[in-house]
Amino acid sequence: MVIKAIYGGDSRKEHSAMPLEWRVVGNATAMVVDKQALVFDSNGVFRYERSLSSRLNGDCEGNPVRFNDQPTPGRCTATLIAPNMVATAGHCIAPHLCVRLDFIFGATSESMVLGSHFASSLRYSCASVEVSVSSGGQDWAVVRLDQSVPASIASPVRIAQTEVVVGMPIMGIGHPDGLPRKYTGEAQVQQVARPGTPAFRFATNLDAFVGSSGSGVFETERREMVGIIVSGQRDYDDKGCLIRYPQEQGPIAGFLALAACVAIGSTAS
């Protein structure tokens, strides 16, 4: 997976701390999990026990990082773009991995508690990988779910038709480090590259991590999706401490524009 980082202060927030209008958008976010990780038992009971602290090399000299006691079952993030379609990063999934991956909605810190029950309406399998591209400067995928997600669970996000420009305020929603859903804002588009081409990308100072790959990036005025997180910088040092970068120093390679995903998602049946 690619790596991300913290820029300035850590702006990540829990689902419960967000205004209603953002929680509605966030409900379209799915955690991508590997069936082999045995996140749920056969009855849909959450059973995954490995926490963030157990995944780090150290405890940051006695100063544990935020969310260190939360579970980390996620491997990537996906976003609902049609009732039975999600968009994610291309390096997160390939056709041969389809049978192994599930997509979990409602994966917040309030719900991902050991012994809690996840209804079948929150758990979906990969039916097919419609597109997966991770070369030539592109990194995106569209996955067809085994069934449509009911509107009572989540509604597909709106895809922005506006141009991505330097200075645009943005919000990222995903599963950094495989954690329950987090919202990260207080960020802007800092660079754009190769506009008008299939390999168009833009860099930002969003706080993101391994597991954030595939997360939706939204412009904040209309809360419409403008991109997908695909890469960034190193997260932690060898002592398990967060690496902090200057606020103005954006990721090495930021996000993939969604233009290629729009037509596929809008015609999903």
Side-chain angles (χ1 to χ4, degrees):
M1 291 185 181
V2 292
I3 45 182
K4 319 294 187 298
I6 289 291
Y7 298 91
D10 187 345
S11 68
R12 291 174 295 170
K13 294 182 180 179
E14 299 282 12
H15 177 73
S16 59
M18 298 302 295
L20 175 61
E21 58 268 25
W22 275 112
R23 296 201 304 269
V24 170
V25 176
N27 286 340
T29 301
M31 176 184 284
V32 184
V33 301
D34 193 322
K35 287 182 171 69
Q36 296 180 352
L38 301 177
V39 178
F40 302 95
D41 68 14
S42 59
N43 295 315
V45 175
F46 184 72
R47 56 177 290 181
Y48 190 89
E49 297 188 53
R50 191 178 185 191
S51 66
L52 177 59
S53 61
S54 69
R55 293 178 56 173
L56 300 178
N57 294 326
D59 65 353
C60 194
E61 300 177 330
N63 299 297
V65 298
R66 293 181 70 197
F67 317 120
N68 72 311
D69 60 342
Q70 293 186 9
T72 57
R75 57 176 286 159
C76 276
T77 302
T79 304
L80 193 69
I81 59 171
N84 65 340
M85 293 277 197
V86 293
T88 187
H91 68 266
C92 287
I93 190 167
H96 72 278
L97 293 175
C98 182
V99 68
R100 288 180 47 180
L101 300 181
D102 283 339
F103 297 80
I104 312 302
F105 291 87
T108 66
S109 59
E110 295 80 17
S111 62
M112 284 204 137
V113 178
L114 197 64
S116 62
H117 179 260
F118 272 67
S120 59
S121 58
L122 296 171
R123 297 177 284 121
Y124 297 82
S125 297
C126 172
S128 62
V129 178
E130 300 295 294
V131 183
S132 181
V133 183
S134 55
S135 62
Q138 301 188 63
D139 192 351
W140 61 277
V142 173
V143 175
R144 184 182 296 271
L145 303 177
D146 61 332
Q147 56 186 315
S148 293
V149 178
S152 59
I153 298 298
S155 297
V157 298
R158 299 192 304 268
I159 306 298
Q161 303 300 318
T162 55
E163 181 183 4
V164 176
V165 296
V166 172
M168 174 184 282
I170 51 173
M171 173 82 73
I173 308 176
H175 295 281
D177 278 322
L179 290 161
R181 185 190 310 158
K182 301 290 182 282
Y183 298 71
T184 176
E186 303 173 19
Q188 303 82 34
V189 174
Q190 296 195 323
Q191 301 174 38
V192 296
R194 291 168 280 185
T197 73
F200 171 57
R201 297 159 78 95
F202 57 96
T204 84
N205 55 354
L206 282 168
D207 297 332
F209 295 76
V210 169
S212 295
S213 292
S215 296
V217 180
F218 300 82
E219 57 87 14
T220 58
E221 182 177 355
R222 297 184 179 180
R223 296 180 293 280
E224 294 178 337
M225 191 169 175
V226 295
I228 300 169
I229 296 179
V230 297
S231 64
Q233 302 198 66
R234 187 182 178 192
D235 296 340
Y236 301 98
D237 62 21
D238 294 337
K239 297 179 181 178
C241 298
L242 277 174
I243 299 175
R244 296 181 183 273
Y245 297 86
Q247 183 74 14
E248 67 276 6
Q249 181 181 340
I252 296 172
F255 307 92
L256 175 69
L258 267 181
C261 296
V262 175
I264 298 168
S266 63
T267 58
S269 59

